[in-house]
Amino acid sequence: MSERYDAQAVEARWQAAWEEAGLFRATLSGARPTYYVLEMFPYPSGRIHMGHVRNYTMGDVVARYKRARGFDVLHPMGWDAFGLPAENAAFERGVHPAEWTYGNIATMRGQLKMMGLSIDWEREFATCHPGYYAHQQALFLDFFEAGLVERKEAWVNWDPVDRTVLANEQVVDGRGWRSGAPVEKRRLAQWFLRITRYADELLEALDALPRWPDKVRLMQRNWIGRSEGARILFPVEGRDEALEVFTTRPDTLFGASFCALSPNHPLATALAASDPALAAFIDECNLAGIGERDIEAAGKRGHDTGLRVRHPFAAERTLPLYVANFVLMDYGTGAIFGCPAHDQRDLDFARSQGLPVIPVVCPPGEDADAVEIGDVAYVGDGTAINSDFLNGLAVEDAKASAVAALAERGLGGSAVSYRLRDWGISRQRYWGCPIPMVLCESCGVVPVPREELPVRLPEDVTFDKPGNPLDRHPTWKHTTCPRCGGAAVRSTDTMDTFVDSSWYFARFCAARADVPLPAPEVEPWLPVDQYIGGIEHAVLHLLYSRFFTKALKLCGHVAIEEPFSGLFTQGMVCHETYRDAEGRWYYPDEVETRAGRLVAREDGRPVTAGRSEAMSKSKRNTVDPEAIIEAYGADTARLFMLSDSPPERDLEWTDTGVKGAWRYVAAFWRMVASPPVALPPPGAGAPAQGTLAPPLRALRRSIHRTVAGVTEDLERFRFNRAVARVRTLTNELSAIEDTPGAGPVMREGLETAVRLLGPIVPHLAEEAWRCLGHESWLAQEPWPEPDPALLADDVVVVAVQVDGRKRATISLPADHDKAEAEEAAMAEGGVRRALAGREVRKVIVVPGRIVNVVT
RNA sequence: GCGGUCGUGGCGGAAUUGGUAGACGCGCUAGCCUCAGGAGCUAGUGGGGGCAACCCCGUGGAGGUUCGAGUCCUCUCGACCGCACCA
């Protein structure tokens, strides 16, 4: 008996050998087709987690599989290395963000290498390195020149204690996450990328991404939120201006009973200057929490400006103009007309203000005179009533007529509005890519000359005070204006880290090039053939990358339309949670079972197991990948990651499941190291089917069917099924009898299984390949091809039903006809018994599938 | 509220896409073996009935279409996810 499989030694040996041989270097042979597989690169938080293991295992399976299929494969890795946690570490522990980040990268690189990933490490980069962000600044200038960059005032979350702008996710219950101070809405000058310019393109191109999950495309569609409607002008009484409003329901215009402005609408601001009560109301709205819950709690409130606007279709009709808390400034025009009868929000507001409710759409089949609106607005289809020239028209026709009439009067026309807003990329932080712009008192906004790039982050910064270290650095921001030569200041904003991740996929094609994206190196690889990552990036990262690709194309950097032609979103890795009576969380390795009860390992206090949830530090339900790899080896971890659940679904991490994966690894090794039958030497070729005994013939068919099945499963990302198939084959091989001819079949079976396992458990497979007497790299061996002649059985088993219930199975030649099947079915005892005393009315025969006898 | 996904043994899941439900694995049961290991081997394992051959029930629930439904349709219950005053 051979000794136990020593995963750690085997894995370390092959990892070193692969690296030394440079097997995974991505090269453009020109002769083979290219394939670019990419997993979302990690944030260097400190250590890899199980989500990374799952993500990178899947990507590695694809990379190794495609290599075996004859592709030149690009499979790179890098680091999404800018971001706030590095600054928090600096603030809390006094370590410089760069030092913290590069230290984490070193640790995590080592951990990833332990996984045996077939990555081209020569292309590795970190986005915080000037060699990367220098090019990002150049791209920013290109975008600026192309008119895609804009500096404008925007409402932001301002933390008055930390003196910084906060992202929405850093505002918890209306307070800054670190200072705890109530966040204010402030208007500040910010840098924006004009993603809205591409709103329609980004929307329409979703249809050209068939290899993206429907769910993601739908989420992006909703995020862009295109809606068609009308722009309407309401002349303001006593003022020489008109209020512009966007609506999707111009057909309900005759039901209007008020207009309302957002608290931040310019007209509201202007009116507030001479109306202290209004000013107070607006302040109140801006101070109120920005969370939806807060708004819900506040209810619909408004302040009557005293102004009245004229109805565009009936000059004699005027409507009150309010400022209302529920009107959003960043959607449409920041002002609405309210038709309470057919919009729930307007109805709520109208009821609270005592405004009239005029039904103007009659639901189908109802009497126009009897239409009444209670507490629920009618938003459905119907026929226009109480609407002058629109009366009798269906909703869609009424919309068209209303728009035409508005255009005729010069009081509006059709319009499209989007939920998508321009991308504010300014962050008042240190650890990010500096925005290469200078602000000059006389010249305004001036780009930094290209020869001065990169604008480097200063290293001598302090984090002991709140606010932006770049802004308070003694010298860094002071510079001269590139245009007039006068004193000027640099923009002290850095870029949102989503900018960094919006083009890294392209940079991997030419990671060290001295221009951002040299076409000869970049074009053969792009777009990414298969992108893999978490669903949490369904909108932002993936939408920004799509926008960036269009912008890069506009500026001549790439020729592609879309960054990722295939996208796969994997599920999360979950684990049970453990808490004691006081609500304290415990890590899985801090609890154990004693006398059938879960207790804390340390003090034996009882612990209850809660539901399985996504692994997170806060719930302490994480399992450290490195510990698993040290205990069982990377192959076991990889196998488990793939085998227990479909990849798009959440995976429940269980210790027993991991042990099961380990058992398979060890058992497979045992079978290869000491096979149950003697193997002929390698290279003898496939055994001749005709000479074999029936069980060996069947086994060979099974081998070739497994190849076909696993191939299809891998192509379709059904890794769990692929694993199940190889396990089935392994079970069959281990049951082989020592009969004449068994040796060659066993060799064929083992070699096939090893090749099929290559992408999944690469170290075990490589070791087994050598053990079987080969001297080549399994990692470079071609994928097996099934023999088509062996895919079809010569005998098939067909179920026989009587009135739809299975009564027997019959064996038939594979090429049987209907009559044959019917005859065999009728002869079957179970069928005859079930038919006793009944009259056969019909027999349905689907050859190879089923016989159904109907009585 | 709007949009979406999903409900299959004790558990994770499979089912040639309308054709033998429960592959593969975990767990469990019984037995064997042993240099007592993170073992290994054999058999069994949806529920119920029967000595047995077999029979009945069974894919969240209720209907429907069909020779035939886990799969399609309608309603319903439940879980999860995304968006959320988007005019």
Side-chain angles (χ1 to χ4, degrees), chain A residues 324-461:
Chain A
N325 64 342
F326 66 97
V327 181
L328 304 174
M329 188 57 222
D330 3 347
Y331 186 78
T333 63
I336 60 159
F337 84 79
C339 173
H342 306 292
D343 183 289
Q344 192 59 47
R345 298 157 301 184
D346 297 346
L347 183 62
D348 294 343
F349 186 74
R351 293 292 185 219
S352 77
Q353 300 290 330
L355 293 162
V357 177
I358 311 154
V360 289
V361 178
C362 178
E366 273 193 41
D367 183 358
D369 299 328
V371 178
E372 271 191 45
I373 303 293
D375 288 332
V376 181
Y378 178 72
V379 297
D381 229 326
T383 315
I385 52 172
N386 302 326
S387 292
D388 195 352
F389 64 92
L390 298 178
N391 281 341
L393 294 176
V395 164
E396 280 313 306
D397 299 332
K399 283 182 183 176
S401 292
V403 168
L406 285 166
E408 209 173 287
R409 279 158 228 234
L411 287 173
S414 67
V416 176
S417 195
Y418 300 87
R419 205 188 85 106
L420 181 71
R421 295 161 206 171
D422 275 333
W423 177 12
I425 60 158
S426 286
R427 297 292 180 270
Q428 287 68 33
R429 303 212 180 90
Y430 168 73
W431 196 234
C433 173
I435 293 176
M437 293 298 231
V438 167
L439 309 171
C440 170
E441 292 237 334
S442 41
C443 306
V445 166
V446 183
V448 172
R450 288 176 189 264
E451 58 274 16
E452 288 176 24
L453 297 186
V455 176
R456 283 174 187 266
L457 289 171
E459 283 167 29
D460 51 335
V461 286

Side-chain angles (χ1 to χ4, degrees), chain A residues 81-396:
Chain A
F82 272 138
L84 201 53
E87 281 184 66
N88 291 341
F91 176 78
E92 284 155 19
R93 279 178 270 157
V95 53
H96 193 278
E99 190 188 326
W100 184 83
T101 303
Y102 285 115
N104 287 349
I105 287 174
T107 305
M108 291 172 73
R109 183 194 299 115
Q111 293 183 311
L112 289 183
K113 288 195 171 184
M114 287 173 72
M115 284 181 62
L117 305 173
S118 63
I119 280 167
D120 181 354
W121 284 103
E122 290 177 15
R123 293 167 185 261
E124 176 191 3
F125 59 73
T127 55
C128 64
H129 194 279
Y132 183 79
Y133 73 68
H135 298 295
Q136 186 161 305
Q137 291 174 341
L139 296 178
F140 182 90
L141 295 181
D142 290 340
F143 290 2
F144 181 75
E145 283 163 21
L148 293 174
V149 175
E150 190 183 9
R151 188 176 165 84
K152 62 183 179 189
E153 300 251 305
W155 291 92
V156 295
N157 306 310
W158 177 258
D159 184 323
V161 171
D162 277 357
R163 287 192 282 151
T164 185
V165 170
L166 298 178
N168 283 340
E169 55 270 26
Q170 291 162 344
V171 181
V172 182
D173 293 330
R175 291 167 180 272
W177 64 339
R178 226 161 59 188
S179 69
V183 165
E184 298 168 12
K185 285 253 161 200
R186 275 213 194 171
R187 214 164 154 74
L188 289 180
Q190 304 274 294
W191 293 100
F192 284 85
L193 294 182
R194 299 172 88 169
I195 188 171
T196 53
R197 190 184 276 195
Y198 288 92
D200 271 323
E201 257 188 82
L202 289 167
L203 184 66
E204 277 159 27
L206 286 172
D207 294 329
L209 293 171
R211 290 174 52 232
W212 276 44
D214 290 341
K215 182 186 168 76
V216 174
R217 290 190 291 175
L218 184 68
M219 282 168 74
Q220 293 211 351
R221 202 165 280 132
N222 293 340
W223 188 266
I224 294 168
R226 182 182 203 273
S227 42
E228 291 182 11
R231 194 171 44 84
I232 305 176
L233 294 173
F234 287 83
V236 182
E237 294 246 285
R239 290 174 78 101
D240 189 20
E241 62 180 305
L243 178 68
E244 187 176 356
V245 151
F246 174 78
T247 182
T248 55
R249 296 296 302 273
D251 60 304
T252 65
L253 195 43
F254 283 100
S257 56
F258 67 95
C259 280
L261 302 170
S262 164
N264 296 323
H265 192 281
L267 179 55
T269 312
L271 294 172
S274 56
D275 182 347
L278 176 57
F281 176 74
I282 291 172
D283 284 346
E284 219 176 293
C285 291
N286 284 337
L287 278 175
I290 54 165
E292 296 81 35
R293 298 287 112 71
D294 303 313
I295 295 168
E296 193 119 5
K300 293 200 172 33
R301 303 198 303 119
H303 183 277
D304 192 344
T305 62
L307 290 176
R308 296 191 75 84
V309 297
R310 276 204 300 281
H311 195 283
F313 289 151
E316 74 288 355
R317 241 174 102 180
T318 64
L319 309 171
L321 178 62
Y322 288 81
V323 172
N325 64 342
F326 66 97
V327 181
L328 304 174
M329 188 57 222
D330 3 347
Y331 186 78
T333 63
I336 60 159
F337 84 79
C339 173
H342 306 292
D343 183 289
Q344 192 59 47
R345 298 157 301 184
D346 297 346
L347 183 62
D348 294 343
F349 186 74
R351 293 292 185 219
S352 77
Q353 300 290 330
L355 293 162
V357 177
I358 311 154
V360 289
V361 178
C362 178
E366 273 193 41
D367 183 358
D369 299 328
V371 178
E372 271 191 45
I373 303 293
D375 288 332
V376 181
Y378 178 72
V379 297
D381 229 326
T383 315
I385 52 172
N386 302 326
S387 292
D388 195 352
F389 64 92
L390 298 178
N391 281 341
L393 294 176
V395 164
E396 280 313 306

Side-chain angles (χ1 to χ4, degrees), chain A residues 522-705:
Chain A
V522 169
E523 266 173 34
W525 293 115
L526 292 181
V528 175
D529 294 284
Q530 185 63 60
Y531 196 34
I532 309 173
I535 186 77
E536 65 273 20
H537 293 113
V539 178
L540 295 182
H541 162 58
L542 290 167
L543 192 64
Y544 292 149
S545 298
R546 294 183 60 219
F547 158 66
F548 237 76
T549 300
K550 294 186 188 302
L552 288 171
K553 188 181 182 203
L554 178 74
C555 299
H557 287 287
V558 297
I560 51 168
E561 291 289 341
E562 288 285 333
F564 314 116
S565 58
L567 172 70
F568 189 88
T569 51
Q570 98 227 23
M572 292 180 295
V573 182
C574 300
H575 197 285
E576 268 188 329
T577 47
Y578 307 102
R579 297 182 94 164
D580 64 19
E582 277 121 64
R584 226 162 58 93
W585 301 99
Y586 288 81
Y587 282 107
D589 58 8
E590 291 174 335
V591 301
E592 62 183 0
T593 309
R594 283 184 209 160
R597 296 172 56 93
L598 269 179
V599 296
R601 204 178 281 273
E602 198 179 70
D603 54 8
R605 97 175 41 201
V607 169
T608 51
R611 48 176 286 179
S612 180
E613 295 186 60
M615 285 189 180
S616 76
K617 278 185 192 154
S618 62
K619 300 215 168 119
R620 297 195 152 214
N621 62 339
T622 57
V623 174
D624 182 28
E626 197 173 329
I628 295 298
I629 292 173
E630 275 164 7
Y632 297 99
D635 283 338
T636 294
R638 294 171 59 122
L639 181 64
F640 178 67
M641 281 295 170
L642 298 171
S643 58
D644 245 37
S645 290
E648 69 278 6
R649 247 190 262 180
D650 287 353
L651 171 78
E652 165 85 2
W653 181 275
T654 61
D655 200 42
T656 50
V658 179
K659 288 197 166 105
W662 159 253
R663 273 205 293 276
Y664 178 76
V665 167
F668 189 82
W669 172 250
R670 266 198 310 279
M671 185 166 65
V672 171
S674 44
V677 298
L679 303 182
Q689 183 77 347
T691 65
L692 296 172
L696 292 175
R697 275 196 235 175
L699 182 53
R700 287 201 68 220
R701 274 197 299 272
S702 186
I703 292 167
H704 286 259
R705 262 203 302 264

